[in-house]
Amino acid sequence: MDFIKKKVPGIAICAVIAGVSTALAQLSIGSFSLEVVGAPVFSILIGMIVTLILPKLASGAVMNEGVTFSSKKILQWAVIILGFSLNLGTIAKVGAQSLPVIISTILVSLLVAMLLMKVLKIDKRVACLIGVGSSICGGSAIAATAPVIDADDEEVAQSISVIFLFNVLAALIFPTLGYNLLHLGSEGFAIFAGTAVNDTSSVTAAASTAEGLYGVEGILSSAVTVKLTRTLAIIPITLVLAFIRTKRAKKNGGNGSSVSLKKIFPFFIIYFVIASVITTVVGVLAQKGVAPTFTAFYNDSFVHFAKWLAKFFIAMAMCAIGLNTNIVKLIKKGGKPILLGFCCWCAITAVSLGVQMLTGIYSTNL
């Protein structure tokens, strides 16, 4: 009863706005699909607008605990459920060729974020979130990283906004850039889209457009597989960040016994891995013809539902973050983070193409 009284109202408002945002993301304006924007971005924007109109809504006694629960716990649940969409065997088989490109783009993006954090004097948590979001998988990476580095809602909102801007630009620009200007082959474009576009929805949009330009199928599936391979980088990144945070906390806290890895360790990432392993095992069973009814239901229905639920929970969490964010303050502080995001985006694009050239993946469509 206590949970219902204190948390359900806030959770309910986040769920309603997430539902509206999910519906909006299914719409199109002419030839432009709003799926590129994505339900999480709609959710965070609607949340910020609601708070601008009703500034005390999220902080009030009725909504506060539920909104906080949504921005913290439901965000972690979203990451865990996301694990069910990852078949490690398929990713290892198809994504192995893109591994040098993935590793290079991640390292360069994080390095650029660290350097510009000092040059531009940007908050280290914002820089970390933008660097991780740019290099790994956009909103999902930010969702996984934010609890580990103890980022507040405003910092998450700032980072999501920056990632969104370059998601849309990439989805609009990259197909023409890859086909008409760079003359990438279909395989090269799939790796380019999978490594240089931040979010899955934008990777899907860019790769789908490219299939029309190239007149071939398979670019979309390959690009998404590369993107899912990138997603696995969430695991080492969050674990390393948890270790660094623990080490710094012990150093700065004076009393080492008061700070432990157990308190900071992102256990939800372990559950994310377990979920991925379960899907992988079911995939192996399906290949061997074991329990065909169950494996078919799991792969065709359950995994599809898990993908949808993970996105919906992320939208709920982003709504909660939006409800706790001052949009006016966010816009005033947006210049430097946008510049940081732009530099990370350019660096990732250049490195993705450069490593393809060095490894012989880059081929032209001429």
Side-chain angles (χ1 to χ4, degrees):
M1 284 299 295
D2 193 50
F3 179 89
I4 294 175
K5 183 179 179 180
K6 292 183 176 181
K7 293 185 173 63
V8 166
I11 294 173
I13 189 67
C14 292
V16 169
I17 293 176
V20 172
S21 300
T22 300
L24 285 173
Q26 304 304 311
L27 302 177
S28 298
I29 300 176
S31 60
F32 180 74
S33 173
L34 293 181
E35 187 179 5
V36 174
V37 178
V41 174
F42 279 124
S43 283
I44 203 168
L45 289 174
I46 293 172
M48 288 190 288
I49 291 170
V50 169
T51 293
L52 185 65
I53 298 170
L54 302 169
K56 294 184 180 180
L57 179 68
S59 59
V62 176
M63 297 288 182
N64 183 43
E65 289 197 28
V67 170
T68 301
F69 182 86
S70 297
S71 69
K72 305 298 181 185
K73 290 297 182 181
I74 289 182
L75 187 60
Q76 294 181 15
W77 293 353
V79 176
I80 294 169
I81 296 169
L82 183 66
F84 287 109
S85 67
L86 301 177
N87 185 316
L88 303 179
T90 302
I91 289 172
K93 184 178 179 180
V94 181
Q97 183 183 22
S98 62
L99 200 57
V101 185
I102 292 171
I103 293 173
S104 300
T105 52
I106 290 174
L107 291 176
V108 167
S109 177
L110 294 176
L111 180 60
V112 168
M114 288 174 58
L115 291 174
L116 290 182
M117 175 189 75
K118 296 180 179 180
V119 174
L120 299 175
K121 297 181 180 179
I122 298 174
D123 180 90
K124 62 183 179 181
R125 286 188 290 267
V126 172
C128 178
L129 292 176
I130 292 174
V132 169
S134 297
S135 61
I136 300 177
C137 55
S140 300
I142 291 174
T145 305
V148 178
I149 63 175
D150 198 27
D152 62 33
D153 288 348
E154 187 174 298
E155 291 163 343
V156 173
Q158 187 83 71
S159 306
I160 288 287
S161 301
V162 170
I163 295 300
F164 156 69
L165 172 62
F166 296 106
N167 275 342
V168 174
L169 288 176
L172 294 174
I173 294 171
F174 280 10
T176 301
L177 176 68
Y179 183 75
N180 291 327
L181 298 179
L182 299 175
H183 302 293
L184 280 169
S186 57
E187 182 182 4
F189 185 86
I191 294 176
F192 177 52
T195 54
V197 183
N198 299 334
D199 196 75
T200 303
S201 60
S202 296
V203 171
T204 301
S208 298
T209 302
E211 284 192 345
L213 291 173
Y214 284 80
V216 297
E217 295 183 356
I219 296 176
L220 175 57
S221 58
S222 296
V224 170
T225 301
V226 173
K227 176 67 178 58
L228 292 177
T229 307
R230 281 172 66 194
T231 301
L232 292 178
I234 287 176
I235 301 168
I237 290 292
T238 50
L239 296 181
V240 168
L241 289 172
F243 176 77
I244 292 173
R245 184 185 166 199
T246 304
K247 189 174 180 180
R248 287 179 177 174
K250 286 183 177 181
K251 182 179 179 180
N252 299 330
N255 182 9
S257 61
S258 63
V259 180
S260 67
L261 184 61
K262 185 177 180 180
K263 293 179 180 179
I264 298 175
F265 188 84
F267 284 99
F268 67 96
I269 294 297
I270 300 300
Y271 302 136
F272 167 87
V273 174
I274 292 172
S276 303
V277 170
I278 291 172
T279 294
T280 305
V281 170
V282 173
V284 172
L285 293 177
Q287 288 179 344
K288 294 184 176 181
V290 178
T293 302
F294 166 73
T295 55
F297 167 78
Y298 186 95
N299 291 322
D300 296 337
S301 300
F302 176 75
V303 171
H304 179 76
F305 173 73
K307 289 179 182 179
W308 178 88
L309 187 60
K311 290 180 180 179
F312 188 79
F313 275 2
I314 289 177
M316 283 183 64
M318 291 304 109
C319 171
I321 288 168
L323 288 170
N324 282 325
T325 302
N326 185 320
I327 191 171
V328 176
K329 189 177 178 181
L330 191 70
I331 292 171
K332 287 181 178 178
K333 295 170 63 177
K336 289 182 179 180
I338 289 174
L339 178 58
L340 172 61
F342 175 73
C343 291
C344 288
W345 186 54
C346 290
I348 288 171
T349 301
V351 170
S352 175
L353 295 171
V355 175
Q356 283 197 55
M357 290 179 181
L358 290 174
T359 56
I361 298 173
Y362 191 117
S363 61
T364 70
N365 60 21
L366 292 174

